[in-house]
Amino acid sequence: MSKQDSQTVIARCRELAAISEMSGGTFRTFLSPAMRRCYEVIGEWMKRAGMTVRLDPAGNLRGLRAGLHPGKGVLLMGSHLDTVRDAGAFDGILGVILAIAIVENLQPEPLPFDLEVIGFCEEEGVRYVPFIGSRALIGTLDEQTLKRTDSAGITMADAITNFGLDPAEIPKAALKTPALGFLEFHIEQGPVLDAAGESVGIVTSIAGQNHALVKFVGSANHAGTTPMHLRRDALSAAAQWIVTVEDSARSTPGLVATIGQISLQPSISNVIPGEVTMSLDVRHAENQVRIAGLNAIHQSAKEISHQRGLELLWTDGLKMNTVQMDDNLTGILSAASPEGTRRMASGAGHDAMILAPHIPSAMLFLRSPGGISHHPSETVLPRDVDLALEIGQRFIESMRKS
Ligand code: HGY
Ligand code: MN
Ligand code: MN
C-alpha cells in the first residue's frame, strides 16, 4: 500500500474545500447537501485505508479499524467536517484527512485496540450550535438542543430527519467502548508557530469562551425631522459599546472579545435605527479573567443603554471554561514529537474541549503560515504535514506498546 504523504493530504483537503454551499468559496454546514457529498468522498478514503465506515445518528462520519482485542478500548482521532462561511481549506478537515492517512500508513498487522477516525458533523455552530457531533459522542446532545432552529426555521431534529437519519437514535452515537484517548490534529489558526518558525506545537489547554446575543432597543424615527437630542438611536449606542468592548479587551492581557455579527432594524437609510442585535464572543486562557472581562463588557452595555434611554436585552449563549489536555496522553505525544516541541494554549475552540473532560485528550497544532484562519488564504506547509504524519505514526506505535 503506497505511503500517504503531505501531497495526498493537502490535495484531499483542497478537493474537499471545493465541496461547498457557496460559489467561489468554502462553506459547509450541518447535514447540508455539500456535507453529504463530503461524507461520500471521505468515506471512500476511509475504506481505502482499511476502515469500516458508518454515519452515526448525529451525522458524525466514523471510520473504524478493528483491533485484535476490542475489549482493550478504542483510540480516537479526528476533528470537524463543517466550516465557517468563506473558510480556508484546512480548519477541521485537516485533522480528519491526516488521521485517515496515518491509519493508511500503519503496518498491516492489527493493533491490539480499535482505532476510530471521526469526522464531527458540526463544530463551528454556523447552522445550529457549536460542538453538535462531539457532544453526541459523549452523550450530552440533549432534547432541548434538538429543538433549536436554523435561519430557515428548521429544527435540528427535522434537519436530521430530512437528511435520512433518526433523531431518536442519537443516543446510539454515544461512545460504547471505553476510549483509550482522543488525538486531534488541527492548524494553530494563530501567529505563534509561524512567528517562531516552528512546524508543530503541543496543546496544553483550550481557552474558555462565553457567547451572548446583545440587543439595544431604541426608537425608529424619521431621519430628517427628528432633532439629535430627541433621538433614541440604537446604532449609535451599539457603536459606542463596540468601542468600549475593544478597549476592555485591549486593556486586559490575553483577553479577546469579538462582535462578529450585527443586524439592525429597520435598516433603511432615512430611518433612525430602532433596534440593533449583535453577537459577542469573549475568551481568555484563565476563567476568572474571562468572567471579569465579560462582566465589565456587560456593565458597559447597561451604562450606555441607561445614559441613552434605551432598553438592553442580553441573552447568554455558550459558556465554556478552559479545558486542560490529558497529561499522560500529551506526554506520549510529546515523546513522539521532535525534542523541544513547544507547548502552547489554544485560543480557538475545538472538539477536544468537549471530549477532554470525559476522554483523555491531546492535540497537535500545525503552523498556520501568516497566522491566518477562518479565511480563504488559510494554508499549511507540506513539511509540517509530513512531520505531523510521522508524529502520528510514532504516537500510535507508542500506544501499541503501552
Ligand atoms: O470559534 C472557534 O474557536 C472555532 O473555530 N470553532
Ligand atoms: Mn473554526
Ligand atoms: Mn476548527
Side-chain angles (χ1 to χ4, degrees), residues 90-101:
F90 300 96
D91 176 8
I93 205 83
L94 176 69
V96 181
I97 303 304
L98 256 174
I100 294 170

Side-chain angles (χ1 to χ4, degrees), residues 79-80 82 91-92 123-124 184 186-187 189 348-351 374:
S79 192
H80 60 96
D82 66 313
D91 176 8
E123 184 267 352
E124 302 286 2
E184 182 168 6
H186 203 289
I187 50 172
Q189 301 183 291
H350 300 287
D351 289 303
H374 282 186

Side-chain angles (χ1 to χ4, degrees), residues 183 185 200-204 326-344 361-364 387 390-392 394-396 398-399:
L183 175 59
F185 294 90
V200 295
I202 292 169
V203 176
T204 53
D326 178 76
D327 284 342
N328 176 47
L329 210 70
T330 300
I332 296 171
L333 180 62
S334 183
S337 306
E339 184 81 24
T341 296
R342 166 190 304 265
R343 295 209 178 190
M344 58 196 290
S361 297
M363 279 195 84
L364 187 79
L387 177 57
E390 284 167 33
I391 292 170
R394 287 197 288 266
F395 176 86
I396 291 177
S398 320
M399 295 295 281

Side-chain angles (χ1 to χ4, degrees), residues 18-19 56 108 111 140 146 165 180 265 273 276 290 372:
I19 302 177
D56 76 18
L111 290 162
T140 60
L146 290 172
L165 298 168
L180 298 170
Q265 294 300 335
V276 174
R290 183 187 87 247
I372 294 175

Side-chain angles (χ1 to χ4, degrees), residues 17 24 104 121 144 156 163 177 189-190 251-252 257 285 293 335 370 375 400:
E104 193 154 353
C121 55
Q144 214 38 45
M156 195 188 298
F163 190 84
T177 324
Q189 301 183 291
S251 58
T252 310
H375 186 277
R400 184 199 294 268

